[in-house]
Amino acid sequence: MPKFDLSDAKGVIPALITPFDENEKFDESRMRNCIDFLIDRGVGALYTTGSTGETFLMSPDERALVVEVVVDQVAGRIPVIAHVGAIGTHLSVDLAQRAQAAGVDAISSVPPFYWPFTPDQVVNYYTDLTKSTDLPMVVYNIPLAGVLAFDQISRLAAIPGVGGIKYTGPTVFDFLRIKEEIGADFRIFSGSDELAMAGLGFGADAIIGSFYNLIPEVFIALFDAVAKNDIALSKELQATANAIIFFSLNYSATAVIKRGMAWQGADAGYCRRPFDNFFTEDDENTLKSEFRKLKLDRNLKGVKFLEALGNG
């Protein structure tokens, strides 16, 4: 039985990275260290084996192992949501059932992708997947797998066991409509890091994102500022976060996140190819130097990984 309800997944929820070693093998020790780092920082839950976790670069057995390690290390301290999406229903069902056996509190999935599946086929996918476990389902709306229109979201929300949506897209105005027409209890997890303030302002219950691994303190402060209706502070914090996000997108963002975590004492390892890495000392020193310059140019304050770099 899950330890938490879906409503317990609150606040800032990292879309958890998956650490790999220099030979691209899953690094369990680094994973456990990163989990403790994030929990100590005050995150509200963890969303594992999603896009940021490089899930589609792993085998099903590797994905299941990552989930098992995450649940074991979390040890009931905060909720764990496991992404189990795959290209086929049978594979997703297998991953979902293994995630339930591991002890996660909820599952999530992108829609089936690659082929242009019909709306009815997408509904069938979520129906089959959701009824395969006793866990609540969080639908994942992301352009990489095909954007779900509001009418389709409404159909999916009607499936027994579907309890919410991770909505990664710019149309956050849909959040108001979801709450009004689908129901206030249908959980919305805003999934666009650069739109966290907007997502919360339009009614998201929590935020899930990649950069919450790297700068959780910035987004926790932003979440609290929005809750207090402090618009000026919210904008300032979102601007700080966005400066880091857009700078990182000049590189391989996941690799930047992993190295930035390492600079704070939470070595998140490396990425799997074809993603890039900062393997050499010169590469990493160059990245550090450019982040120091960004900090000075933008007068960024209260960002722990930048503070850890010092003045060079």
Side-chain angles (χ1 to χ4, degrees):
M1 292 293 291
K3 296 179 177 64
F4 296 97
D5 293 328
L6 190 58
S7 60
D8 295 319
K10 300 175 180 178
V12 174
I13 304 172
L16 192 61
I17 49 82
T18 302
F20 300 102
D21 66 18
E22 292 85 345
N23 298 312
E24 301 188 31
K25 302 294 185 182
F26 170 56
D27 194 316
E28 179 177 334
S29 178
R30 280 173 162 140
M31 180 88 268
R32 292 181 182 276
N33 186 39
C34 289
I35 289 166
D36 287 343
F37 164 79
L38 291 168
I39 293 177
D40 289 345
R41 285 290 179 89
V43 301
L46 293 173
Y47 185 97
T48 189
T49 52
S51 306
T52 306
E54 301 172 66
T55 194
F56 298 116
L57 303 181
M58 289 189 281
S59 70
D61 285 345
E62 287 176 315
R63 292 175 66 174
L65 175 60
V66 170
V67 172
E68 290 171 6
V69 170
V70 171
V71 172
D72 182 67
Q73 190 63 26
V74 169
R77 288 177 285 176
I78 56 176
V80 175
I81 304 170
H83 173 263
V84 298
I87 199 167
T89 302
H90 285 288
L91 178 53
S92 295
V93 165
D94 178 63
L95 289 167
Q97 291 174 342
R98 293 169 76 170
Q100 177 170 260
V104 304
D105 301 291
I107 55 174
S108 179
S109 177
V110 294
F113 54 91
Y114 185 75
W115 286 285
F117 294 104
T118 68
D120 286 345
Q121 289 168 335
V122 173
V123 170
N124 290 340
Y125 169 82
Y126 278 107
T127 300
D128 291 339
L129 182 54
T130 304
K131 73 181 181 182
S132 72
T133 76
D134 300 320
L135 300 171
M137 163 64 70
V138 177
V139 172
Y140 190 174
N141 190 21
I142 181 171
L144 289 171
V147 176
L148 299 169
F150 180 80
D151 289 348
Q152 185 76 342
I153 294 171
S154 296
R155 291 185 66 189
L156 299 178
I159 297 170
V162 173
I165 185 167
K166 180 177 185 284
Y167 196 114
T168 303
T171 50
V172 295
F173 51 81
D174 270 345
F175 293 6
L176 291 175
R177 192 176 180 192
I178 289 171
K179 287 295 185 181
E180 290 172 356
E181 299 186 28
I182 294 176
D185 293 335
F186 190 74
R187 304 286 289 176
I188 300 176
F189 300 93
S190 181
S192 296
D193 302 27
E194 69 277 15
L195 292 172
M197 177 187 175
L200 291 168
F202 276 95
D205 298 288
I207 52 177
I208 299 175
S210 307
F211 281 85
Y212 310 164
N213 292 279
L214 176 62
I215 48 173
E217 71 281 357
V218 175
F219 284 99
I220 290 170
L222 188 155
F223 187 93
D224 292 341
V226 173
K228 295 174 183 176
N229 202 30
D230 189 336
I231 303 302
L233 179 58
S234 301
K235 289 174 64 178
E236 178 183 338
L237 291 163
Q238 186 71 75
T240 294
N242 284 4
I244 294 166
I245 291 169
F246 295 135
F247 176 83
S248 300
L249 292 177
N250 292 318
Y251 303 92
S252 175
T254 303
V256 172
I257 289 168
K258 288 184 174 184
R259 299 324 300 150
M261 292 177 72
W263 302 338
Q264 303 173 75
D267 187 350
Y270 299 90
C271 302
R272 273 195 170 166
R273 291 176 292 178
F275 286 124
D276 297 322
N277 284 287
F278 299 93
F279 277 117
T280 71
E281 185 177 349
D282 286 345
D283 286 342
E284 192 157 350
N285 285 338
T286 297
L287 184 66
K288 288 179 178 179
S289 178
E290 292 181 353
F291 264 122
R292 291 189 190 101
K293 184 176 185 302
L294 179 71
K295 177 186 175 184
L296 290 173
D297 290 347
R298 297 295 299 268
N299 192 28
L300 302 178
K301 299 177 181 178
V303 183
K304 292 189 177 182
F305 91 93
L306 294 179
E307 294 172 350
L309 294 177
N311 296 319

